[in-house]
Amino acid sequence: MQSRLLVPAFIALSTLAVPALAQPAPAASAAPAAGQMSPAQITAFNQAVTDFTAGQTAQQAGDNATAVAKYEAALPAIRTAVEVDPSKIDNVNFLANALYADAAAQGALGKMDQVIALYGESLPHWRKLVEAKPADAASRNILAGILIQLGNQKLGAQDKAGSAPLYQEALSLARKSAGENMADPVTKNILLSALIGASQATGDTGLQTEAVAMSKAMLADGTVDASNKPAAQALGGAKAG
């Protein structure tokens, strides 16, 4: 079976409550303490909050070009905030979400190279976020989806060795989410994607059997999404249509 083409299936984000760091900047003569942003960095961060919010508004209205411009304007200051204090999880969350939102807008514009680059940059931040908030199923599912798409990109380039650990990490996350809420169609499709990818990358017969069984079941109950349907039909023995 040939590897699937990379088709990002972005998980919708609700409007992000951005960190409210916007405090009066200290006097310019005061040197910031370790882990604290300078007055100029605080000013830039506050502008980034404004730009990100405008990007979300544009994206929700279907204006992805404007959204990309606003996200790209916001990202440098958000990156700086995380560099200054990597332990501040609210800013890590902000950066992870901003990169993901930018990737969604870039994907809508057909800029797949940008999508992959943004996914790659966001990966350690999503991992940190999921580690810090293990009960946050939404973030866990987004991380799994990103891992799957990065795995698809490598598998599409015939790099099975590179794709396998990405799929395996996604599969572990997807199994946890499925254990909590297997009735959720998004969760089911993430698990199916991870199973299909991991089985293709590793050749593991157990995973292949599981992927076939799940494909048949989801085709039967109509819960397979558009991105998974061709592979599920091939595995489940159904004719594409």
Side-chain angles (χ1 to χ4, degrees):
M1 178 176 166
Q2 294 182 344
S3 60
R4 293 166 294 152
L5 295 175
L6 174 68
V7 180
F10 297 99
I11 300 170
L13 289 174
S14 57
T15 301
L16 175 66
V18 297
L21 181 99
Q23 299 175 1
S29 60
Q36 293 183 356
M37 290 193 286
S38 70
Q41 289 169 338
I42 290 174
T43 298
F45 185 89
N46 292 339
Q47 182 59 49
V49 171
T50 299
D51 287 336
F52 177 83
T53 302
Q56 282 205 310
T57 299
Q59 192 169 22
Q60 289 164 1
D63 184 358
N64 289 289
T66 296
V68 164
K70 292 297 184 180
Y71 293 144
E72 293 292 321
L75 279 168
I78 307 172
R79 291 183 180 110
T80 296
V82 173
E83 289 169 2
V84 169
D85 186 1
S87 68
K88 192 172 180 61
I89 200 66
D90 284 348
N91 288 346
V92 173
N93 180 39
F94 189 15
L95 179 54
N97 277 274
L99 290 165
Y100 186 78
D102 192 9
Q106 298 276 10
L109 296 174
K111 298 181 179 180
M112 303 312 300
D113 288 346
Q114 290 295 323
V115 171
I116 293 301
L118 289 162
Y119 271 176
E121 182 185 350
S122 75
L123 192 55
H125 304 302
W126 283 110
R127 283 172 171 153
K128 186 171 184 176
L129 189 60
V130 170
E131 181 181 2
K133 301 180 178 182
D136 182 356
S139 293
R140 188 192 314 133
N141 285 344
I142 289 173
L143 173 56
I146 288 171
L147 288 161
I148 289 164
Q149 295 298 343
L150 292 173
N152 288 352
Q153 192 266 342
K154 287 186 178 294
L155 189 62
Q158 305 304 313
D159 181 6
K160 289 188 176 183
S163 68
L166 296 168
Y167 287 132
Q168 294 284 10
E169 184 180 353
L171 185 56
S172 176
L173 295 165
R175 288 195 192 283
K176 182 175 181 180
S177 291
E180 294 174 355
N181 186 12
M182 191 57 183
D184 175 41
V186 172
T187 298
K188 288 172 68 175
N189 276 283
I190 291 170
L191 177 56
L192 179 59
S193 291
L195 280 170
I196 291 171
S199 66
Q200 290 182 16
T202 65
D204 184 302
T205 55
L207 292 177
Q208 290 171 350
T209 299
E210 188 177 356
V212 169
M214 190 169 188
S215 294
K216 289 180 177 179
M218 290 177 66
L219 286 168
D221 65 18
T223 56
V224 178
D225 66 20
S227 64
N228 277 330
K229 194 168 187 179
Q233 288 175 325
L235 288 170
K239 293 182 179 179

